[in-house]
Amino acid sequence: KAGVTQTPRYLIKTRGQQVTLSCSPISGHRSVSWYQQTPGQGLQFLFEYFSETQRNKGNFPGRFSGRQFSNSRSEMNVSTLELGDSALYLCASSRDRDVAFFGQGTRLTVV
Amino acid sequence: GNSVTQMEGPVTLSEEAFLTINCTYTATGYPSLFWYVQYPGEGLQLLLKATKADDKGSNKGFEATYRKETTSFHLEKGSVQVSDSAVYFCALSGGGYSTLTFGKGTMLLVSP
């Protein structure tokens, strides 16, 4: 059974640009959550989608957004990138209210 | 709100030594508790979980017991291996597993 797939694995962007990250969940999983991991702040919850609806949201500015498609694949978008957005972005999928399985992450570097 | 506190690292041990990584939590209600492990350059892997008080989660020689009276979920292993070197995260979820609150992580370094 394939795991959670995140693309791309690495990204380098310039300040002010926008970026879109993609996550394909495990087959049959309808919940997708996103986390930001940085050395200073650790792992922080961004948002969760279930059946194409945002079900929960963390404490991040509106520049961070996401969506989920009918096949449960999810994307997150960060607009007007700042240097502080450099991080590992992790996606996790689960059945509804079940254990979360994580992808390998997308390493975003903003220069 | 929910929070998780785990011991600072790195924890440095010799192979076959006993491991304890402390984790305490603050949460409303009855959270589920998890330990995840992250190897270099990788995402998080679920190591073990416990969903109610006095439950013991175990996997690959690692164990942790959900102690509600002390709000703790300490990770233990009787004999560590070099391959256990990684960062370990304690986490909780309340009202559903989809939103996890993580501790800062503890790096474990095991030398031969």
Side-chain angles (χ1 to χ4, degrees):
Chain A
K1 187 167 166 178
V4 179
T5 303
Q6 292 188 244
T7 56
R9 288 291 310 275
Y10 302 93
L11 266 178
I12 300 175
K13 289 288 188 180
T14 303
R15 224 170 6 165
Q17 288 185 314
Q18 75 165 14
V19 67
T20 299
L21 313 181
S22 180
C23 173
S24 293
I26 292 170
S27 177
H29 288 190
R30 293 165 64 191
S31 170
V32 174
S33 299
W34 289 88
Y35 294 82
Q36 182 195 64
Q37 185 178 23
T38 60
Q41 298 299 316
L43 281 152
Q44 295 184 285
F45 171 74
L46 280 156
F47 27 66
E48 184 217 354
Y49 287 86
F50 181 81
S51 292
E52 302 180 64
T53 300
Q54 187 179 86
R55 187 157 70 175
N56 204 352
K57 187 177 188 305
N59 189 25
F60 276 81
R63 300 185 296 107
F64 291 81
S65 63
R67 59 178 175 168
Q68 187 180 34
F69 302 95
S70 58
N71 61 359
S72 294
R73 191 176 70 84
S74 177
E75 290 181 347
M76 69 163 280
N77 184 275
V78 188
S79 62
T80 318
L81 283 165
E82 301 177 359
L83 295 179
D85 297 332
S86 294
L88 181 66
Y89 290 88
L90 292 164
C91 167
S93 79
S94 66
R95 301 180 195 280
D96 189 19
R97 305 189 189 283
D98 201 344
V99 174
F101 293 88
F102 284 80
Q104 292 187 297
T106 294
R107 171 77 60 187
L108 172 65
T109 302
V110 182
V111 298
Chain B
N2 296 339
S3 68
V4 175
T5 302
Q6 52 182 116
M7 59 191 292
E8 299 268 339
V11 173
T12 305
L13 295 172
S14 298
E15 207 165 24
E16 300 184 3
F18 184 85
L19 168 71
T20 299
I21 300 178
N22 291 335
C23 171
T24 57
Y25 68 89
T26 302
T28 54
Y30 302 93
S32 295
L33 301 174
F34 307 85
W35 278 99
Y36 281 86
V37 58
Q38 186 175 37
Y39 297 99
E42 300 291 323
L44 301 177
Q45 297 177 25
L46 177 68
L47 184 58
L48 52 85
K49 68 180 175 78
T51 58
K52 60 183 188 295
D54 300 325
D55 264 2
K56 177 186 282 189
S58 62
N59 185 27
K60 299 180 182 179
F62 291 90
E63 293 183 337
T65 301
Y66 188 144
R67 301 286 188 200
K68 189 164 170 53
E69 63 277 13
T70 55
T71 61
S72 65
F73 192 55
H74 304 322
L75 182 68
E76 296 182 336
K77 187 177 185 183
S79 176
V80 294
Q81 305 301 311
V82 172
S83 57
D84 294 326
S85 298
V87 180
Y88 292 81
F89 292 91
C90 184
L92 69 81
S93 72
Y97 294 11
S98 302
T99 303
L100 293 163
T101 300
F102 287 91
K104 293 285 191 186
T106 302
M107 180 179 289
L108 171 65
L109 299 170
V110 181
S111 57

